[in-house]
Amino acid sequence: MTYIAAGDRYDNGHYRRCGRSGLTLPKVSLGLWQNFGDESPIETQRAILRRAFDLGVTHFDLANNYGPPYGSAEINFGRIMREDLRPYRDELIISTKAGYDMWPGPYGDWGSRKYLLASLDQSLARMGLEYVDIFYSHRADPDTPLEETMGALATAVKSGRALYAGISSYSPGRTEQAAALLRDLGTPLLIHQPSYSILNRWIEHGLLDTLEREGAGCIAFSPLAQGLLTAKYLNGVPEGSRASRGDSSMSADQLSEENLARVRALNEIARARGQSLAQMALAWALRDQRVTSVLVGASSVAQLEENVAAAGRAPFSEGELAEIDRHAGGSGIDIWAASSAH
């Protein structure tokens, strides 16, 4: 059946300007890190992407190695783009990234010009696109000159393969340097994509101030702390979950009883607000106007709908924020800290 997007998809008005740019993003964006590889049925993926757009989610975030296997999320997204979303291309923000392991040998990882531009060309081919809206350096590379990495992003934009340049998991200092280099190259830094959640607040210690000065936006990934800030772990680690099988990126210390106690206390605050824990966690991350958007994953339409509903919830009282602060941080959940330390 031919897909026709909902006529009221923009009625909620849940968008924010990205820094000082001309671009706005939905407060809740859809990330395809999980659930869009070949292990997930294509019709489930199709239903999630259609429903997201019907709800006004205009931004879909990918990376070269999302899957599994590597590249499959872009291939699957490209198929749905071709079969369902192609008429709406000019209403969509599609982003991809390069910086982590993608192919064997010395040219398939990190931040060299060779890797970034080759990866972008591969991503465009997998998705069947002429350009992406945002192309990111996915992590800081301590061994490649920053001038080379930012030069590759500028080339991506000036060649028409991307409209905007972004970085992910860069420290405040390196972010400032990257922004200066891109500005000199005539390609302003649009956006930074850091990890950020109630349990992982590192961006509050300098990065948000840096982005504000530079006029760049911020889109938070893992705002639900990889599922820890959901109902999933309220009664411990579920039998059969990825975490219980040891094939999750969450480690045992992140699922410690101390952290689970934090999560249960936060859940009580959410219940008092009339929200799910996930909804409160997303609304909390959006409480700072400098956070342009939060990236959520979704394994079902129902999960997507729950998360998107967080964008319109009531603001926090000072008392609620103070109570959340009592149970926040110190969780060891930032598994990307090595990149943002450079």
Side-chain angles (χ1 to χ4, degrees):
M1 181 182 298
T2 302
Y3 168 66
I4 299 175
D8 62 353
R9 58 190 177 276
Y10 297 117
D11 287 358
N12 64 34
H14 295 154
Y15 299 87
R16 280 184 182 170
R17 187 157 302 278
C18 190
R20 291 194 292 270
S21 77
L23 190 70
T24 59
L25 295 178
K27 290 182 183 177
V28 177
S29 300
L30 182 63
L32 278 64
W33 179 23
Q34 309 283 353
N35 307 308
F36 288 85
D38 289 347
E39 294 180 343
S40 302
I42 192 69
E43 290 310 314
T44 300
Q45 298 181 36
R46 187 189 309 276
I48 293 169
L49 287 165
R50 284 181 170 188
R51 183 59 176 150
F53 188 50
D54 284 345
L55 291 171
V57 176
T58 54
H59 179 209
F60 301 129
D61 180 77
L62 299 103
N64 54 0
N65 62 2
Y66 286 177
Y70 288 177
S72 59
E74 289 184 329
I75 292 170
N76 292 333
F77 176 78
R79 174 181 168 180
I80 296 166
M81 184 75 204
R82 182 174 65 252
E83 295 175 358
D84 295 302
L85 297 172
R86 178 68 64 182
Y88 306 101
R89 175 64 184 98
D90 291 339
E91 298 181 42
L92 298 175
I93 301 297
I94 300 167
S95 59
T96 196
K97 304 180 280 293
Y100 283 95
D101 172 58
M102 183 59 193
W103 64 81
Y107 316 122
D109 203 348
W110 292 103
S112 71
R113 180 180 182 86
K114 168 74 172 175
Y115 172 46
L116 293 182
L117 294 177
S119 179
L120 176 56
D121 287 341
Q122 291 181 17
S123 292
L124 293 174
R126 281 190 290 269
M127 291 188 283
L129 299 176
E130 294 180 359
Y131 68 94
V132 291
D133 296 273
I134 307 169
F135 182 53
Y136 289 91
S137 166
H138 205 166
R139 63 169 166 173
D141 182 349
D143 298 318
T144 297
L146 192 58
E147 292 83 354
E148 179 176 342
T149 302
M150 295 305 106
L153 293 183
T155 294
V157 172
K158 291 180 179 179
S159 66
R161 288 123 100 185
L163 300 186
Y164 299 96
I167 58 177
S168 179
S169 298
Y170 277 48
S171 68
R174 189 166 284 233
T175 295
E176 188 172 15
Q177 294 168 5
L181 288 166
L182 287 170
R183 189 164 48 246
D184 289 345
L185 291 166
T187 309
L189 175 65
L190 174 79
I191 195 166
H192 188 298
Q193 186 176 135
S195 60
Y196 182 52
S197 71
I198 292 173
L199 300 176
N200 173 21
R201 300 176 63 166
W202 74 275
I203 71 172
E204 297 173 8
H205 307 296
L207 182 61
L208 283 172
D209 292 338
T210 297
L211 295 177
E212 185 174 25
R213 285 195 305 272
E214 297 295 341
C218 175
I219 181 166
F221 76 86
S222 205
L224 300 179
Q226 299 175 270
L228 194 54
L229 291 169
T230 69
K232 183 187 299 184
Y233 298 107
L234 291 175
N235 299 309
V237 180
E239 193 66 35
S241 67
R242 283 184 301 160
S244 70
R245 298 194 304 267
D247 57 356
S248 166
S249 53
M250 296 185 71
S251 64
D253 61 325
Q254 291 163 359
L255 294 169
S256 66
E257 184 52 41
E258 182 182 3
N259 276 352
L260 295 180
R262 283 193 179 99
V263 169
R264 294 185 191 107
L266 291 167
N267 185 59
E268 291 305 310
I269 303 171
R271 286 179 59 187
R273 282 175 53 84
Q275 290 179 296
S276 70
L277 176 57
Q279 287 174 330
M280 185 185 79
L282 297 174
W284 179 91
L286 288 164
R287 79 200 186 287
D288 190 320
Q289 292 295 314
R290 295 174 295 182
V291 176
T292 313
S293 182
V294 291
L295 274 170
V296 301
S299 59
S300 67
V301 168
Q303 187 180 60
L304 171 79
E305 291 174 340
E306 176 191 350
N307 291 341
V308 171
R313 290 304 182 102
F316 292 86
S317 69
E318 290 300 318
E320 287 171 333
L321 290 174
E323 185 66 13
I324 289 170
D325 285 346
R326 289 185 57 229
H327 306 288
S331 64
I333 204 76
D334 186 5
I335 62 175
W336 304 275
S339 176
S340 54
H342 294 307

